[in-house]
Amino acid sequence: MSTKPRRSGITDETPWVKWLLTGTALTFIGLFLLVPLVSVFAEALNKGWELYLAALVDDDALSAIKLTLVTAAIAIPLNLTFGVAAAWAIAKFDFKGKSLLVTLIDLPFSVSPVVAGLVYVLLFGSHGWFGPWLEENDIKIIFAVPGIVLATLFVTFPFVARELIPLMEAQGSDEEQAAMVLGASGWQTFWRVTLPNIKWGLLYGVILANARAMGEFGAVSVVSGHIRGMTNTIPLHVEILYNEYNFVGAFACASILALLALVTLALKSWVEWKAERDTEAARAAANAE
Amino acid sequence: MKTRLFALLPALLLSSHLVQADATLLNVSYDVMRDFYKDYNPAFQKYWKGKTGEKVVVQQSHGGSSPQARSVIEGLQADVVTMNQHSDIDAIAERGKQLPTNWATRLPNNASPFTSLQVLIVRKGNPKGIKDWNDLTRPGVNVVIPNPKTAGNGRYTYLAAWGYALKQPGGNEQKAREFVAALFRNVPVLDTGGRGATTTFMQRNIGDVLVTFENEAEMIAREFGRGRFEVVYPSISIEAELPVSVVDKVVDKKGTRKQAEEYLKYLWSPEGQTVAAQNYLRPRDKAVFAKYAKQFPSVKLFTVNDLGGWKAIGQKHFNDRAIYDQIAAANAKKK
């Protein structure tokens, strides 16, 4: 540390204010993020690696991991398609009811996940609107995989669209118009012009949606039925193990979710860094011309 | 990255061995019964295979008793339900119409193959000198009970305290009400289920007394070690009947009535009763009970029917704005 305070450009606060603020932020992050995260792994490895691994290759745990992956593998591509279509429509075109559509897309953010799950029970449960018809035709939606996918779709609905709309609005539609004028078809314009422009934002949205899809508890809990080895996702399985006093198992499965969060974080930083580099390169190219 | 993930999926799909079964039963049960059925299901499978040559797979679903009943009403395809209070199965009969309202008469002992009772669990050495229900109302004693609005476990505790107060010399409804109110003033946390309450008491170290089922006390001993707590049997307690029933609408549709009925009947067999006793559930079978009598101290018991039965109890105590709500509201004001 030099004795002479070096003041970084924008503000000219005294050093102790700077250190106090940084210190507070770091303490807060340490207490509320790092300590719990470490404790998850500490509890999981409490009784050694062997038990940890045994807890993960347990039949019920494997089926929970499988169901979680399958759910995400169905929900994310669907939300990606929808998100791109919605963002495209909203950012590039003007139509009646546009603000209503934006509000509807945001709805899952403001609705409690438990309510989101209950909505599907009310629709597809035995006493719901479609319940009797579904039962007659022997179609299972809630308390089965389709219900879990639906609930996950609902809670991850806004992520991709929300990420893309501001980006696409900022980019405007000049490039698309130019492409059209030069004779490109709608698809060509989308694949060659729009998609390359939004790819980083799109990836960012997908990563966030995926993290939420795998970690969702409330909505899925309501529609799952908690059948062991059948309709438990990882978060539900963690709760069950915890209630069985199987703390090693519970935290071992929780550590998978924590690892997923860390991977998500790393991917997210990488995407942000990549996107920034891309814009800088584009700017440099534009300046050079 | 993406291709690798998709390469992994089929591998995972295959890894869950699809058990070739002749019949699959779904047993929708409450929270703390998982240990019992973990032992009972293999015993039944062996028995059924020996008797009919058929392989039957039993799937389990566990959660709070009332939410589980709710799920069955909404269409969870349970072949059998195994709950901790009659009112939960009554709800399935009345609201879901998935089984007849006289379900409790279809099996012996009010359709309850075993019973339990509410006991007091205190910290090692019983530092607060807890001996009976009246010690729980002393100031400075913290009691952990799950919420009677959501947990059968909590309801039994509430009713046990109510019954105790009624049966004291000079006891009457007014005094019982004051007694229960004083007891719930000493409750620092109301967990939603029995397991949550145990975790609060043992894991988070909150409270001086945990009131829960006798069989849950044994689970605590197995998991947390016997040296950390003591079980106190009160002078009088409530007998908790743990009823079971086939869900007619489901088994008739699936064609599993035969297996489902036998699955429940086998609970009354000497084997089933022994598994119950080993899990500290009080068996109905006299011979099995005698064999395990050492682990079941005799306690004076009263039943839910002594207090008027679940229907009357629900209306009087647990429905919205009934006595429990009034007590909770008054206690909240005093705090």
Side-chain angles (χ1 to χ4, degrees), chain A residues 59 66 69 73 121 125-127 135 138 140 142-143 225-228 230 240 242-245 247, chain B residues 12-13 16-17 26 34 59-61 71 73-76 95-96 195 198-199 203 216 223 249 253:
Chain A
D59 278 350
K66 188 182 100 188
L69 290 178
V121 173
S126 297
H127 299 268
E135 253 168 45
D138 214 9
K140 277 193 206 163
I142 56 165
F143 310 120
H226 306 276
I227 307 169
R228 283 196 92 142
M230 294 278 293
I240 286 188
Y242 188 77
N243 275 339
E244 280 178 3
Y245 306 129
F247 296 122
Chain B
L12 272 164
L13 286 167
S16 80
H17 44 203
L26 174 59
R34 52 189 104 224
Q59 294 169 336
Q60 290 290 140
S61 168
S71 291
I73 294 171
E74 288 300 345
L76 182 56
R95 295 195 202 180
R195 273 290 150 98
T198 304
T199 313
Q203 192 82 344
E216 179 72 354
E223 188 57 36
K249 210 173 154 191
K253 196 168 137 195

Side-chain angles (χ1 to χ4, degrees), chain A residues 52-133:
Chain A
Y52 176 78
L53 290 176
L56 292 183
V57 297
D58 171 75
D59 278 350
D60 292 338
L62 279 182
S63 107
I65 295 170
K66 188 182 100 188
L67 180 61
T68 307
L69 290 178
V70 167
T71 305
I74 301 173
I76 299 307
L78 285 177
N79 266 344
L80 186 142
T81 316
F82 164 80
V84 172
W88 167 272
I90 286 164
K92 311 275 178 180
F93 300 96
D94 269 316
F95 53 90
K96 267 190 186 164
K98 187 165 149 176
S99 57
L100 183 72
L101 182 62
V102 177
T103 315
L104 281 178
I105 290 174
D106 275 344
L107 192 69
F109 273 154
S110 51
V111 168
S112 150
V114 176
V115 176
L118 280 176
V119 166
Y120 288 104
V121 173
L122 289 179
L123 280 179
F124 302 118
S126 297
H127 299 268
W129 289 3
F130 306 113
W133 183 84

Side-chain angles (χ1 to χ4, degrees), chain B:
Chain B
M1 181 65 205
K2 212 167 202 177
T3 48
R4 232 183 265 166
L5 185 74
F6 282 116
L8 210 79
L9 276 174
L12 272 164
L13 286 167
L14 288 174
S15 75
S16 80
H17 44 203
L18 293 159
V19 187
Q20 278 302 314
D22 299 324
T24 306
L25 297 178
L26 174 59
N27 177 359
V28 172
S29 189
Y30 65 99
D31 239 350
V32 303
M33 280 312 266
R34 52 189 104 224
D35 307 283
F36 169 75
Y37 285 108
K38 221 183 245 172
D39 296 343
Y40 175 75
N41 289 346
F44 173 73
Q45 281 160 337
K46 212 174 128 198
Y47 158 78
W48 188 249
K49 175 117 202 179
K51 191 177 165 192
T52 64
E54 193 182 45
K55 190 170 164 109
V56 59
V57 169
V58 185
Q59 294 169 336
Q60 290 290 140
S61 168
H62 295 281
S65 195
S66 300
Q68 289 290 85
R70 180 86 245 166
S71 291
V72 173
I73 294 171
E74 288 300 345
L76 182 56
Q77 298 290 300
D79 298 89
V80 297
V81 284
T82 52
M83 297 297 178
N84 67 12
Q85 37 176 348
H86 280 77
S87 47
D88 288 327
I89 303 184
D90 282 339
I92 299 173
E94 281 159 23
R95 295 195 202 180
K97 314 233 180 298
Q98 285 136 310
L99 46 92
T101 44
N102 68 346
W103 59 271
T105 58
R106 297 192 293 184
L107 286 162
N109 307 110
N110 215 8
S112 168
F114 31 68
T115 62
S116 195
L117 57 98
Q118 296 304 106
V119 298
L120 316 175
I121 293 173
V122 298
R123 307 240 174 245
K124 191 177 161 41
N126 198 357
K128 297 259 165 138
I130 308 289
K131 287 192 195 71
D132 207 349
W133 293 105
N134 56 348
D135 293 315
L136 306 188
T137 60
R138 286 202 317 244
V141 173
N142 280 321
V143 189
V144 176
I145 300 172
N147 193 340
K149 293 289 272 190
T150 56
N153 193 326
R155 291 190 180 196
Y156 280 117
T157 296
Y158 171 102
L159 293 173
W162 182 274
Y164 164 84
L166 270 188
K167 283 174 203 321
Q168 295 313 297
N172 59 34
E173 295 251 319
Q174 187 51 35
K175 281 192 178 149
R177 193 182 169 126
E178 282 161 15
F179 183 80
V180 173
L183 170 61
F184 276 86
R185 264 201 297 282
N186 281 346
V187 178
V189 224
L190 282 168
D191 288 284
T192 47
R195 273 290 150 98
T198 304
T199 313
T200 297
F201 185 75
M202 295 305 296
Q203 192 82 344
R204 291 167 58 202
N205 248 325
I206 292 176
D208 305 302
V209 194
L210 166 72
V211 191
T212 193
F213 291 127
E214 185 183 35
N215 63 310
E216 179 72 354
E218 175 57 19
M219 288 305 121
I220 298 175
R222 284 186 200 171
E223 188 57 36
F224 293 94
R226 278 166 216 280
R228 285 186 52 196
F229 67 94
E230 287 170 24
V231 178
V232 175
Y233 283 87
S235 63
I236 186 167
S237 190
I238 191 162
E239 179 174 72
E241 289 195 319
L242 311 171
V244 300
S245 178
V246 160
V247 183
D248 296 59
K249 210 173 154 191
V250 175
V251 292
D252 287 341
K253 196 168 137 195
K254 281 176 64 184
T256 46
R257 176 177 284 279
K258 200 175 48 162
Q259 293 88 340
E261 281 179 348
E262 198 68 18
Y263 177 75
L264 294 184
K265 266 188 208 142
Y266 192 65
L267 288 167
W268 274 267
S269 71
E271 293 80 16
Q273 293 282 295
T274 304
V275 175
Q278 282 163 350
N279 280 282
Y280 284 71
L281 293 157
R282 297 193 170 210
R284 299 284 197 182
D285 186 299
K286 294 230 163 62
V288 177
F289 190 94
K291 199 174 148 203
Y292 288 88
K294 223 169 43 182
Q295 67 191 43
F296 299 123
S298 67
V299 182
K300 219 161 103 193
L301 292 172
F302 57 92
T303 66
V304 167
N305 285 339
D306 294 340
L307 296 175
W310 278 117
K311 197 162 258 171
I313 287 173
Q315 278 164 9
K316 187 172 170 188
H317 294 276
F318 299 120
N319 284 359
D320 284 340
R321 286 186 288 277
I323 297 179
Y324 175 74
D325 277 354
Q326 294 166 18
I327 287 175
N331 280 349
K333 248 181 234 160
K334 269 184 199 166
K335 271 176 190 169

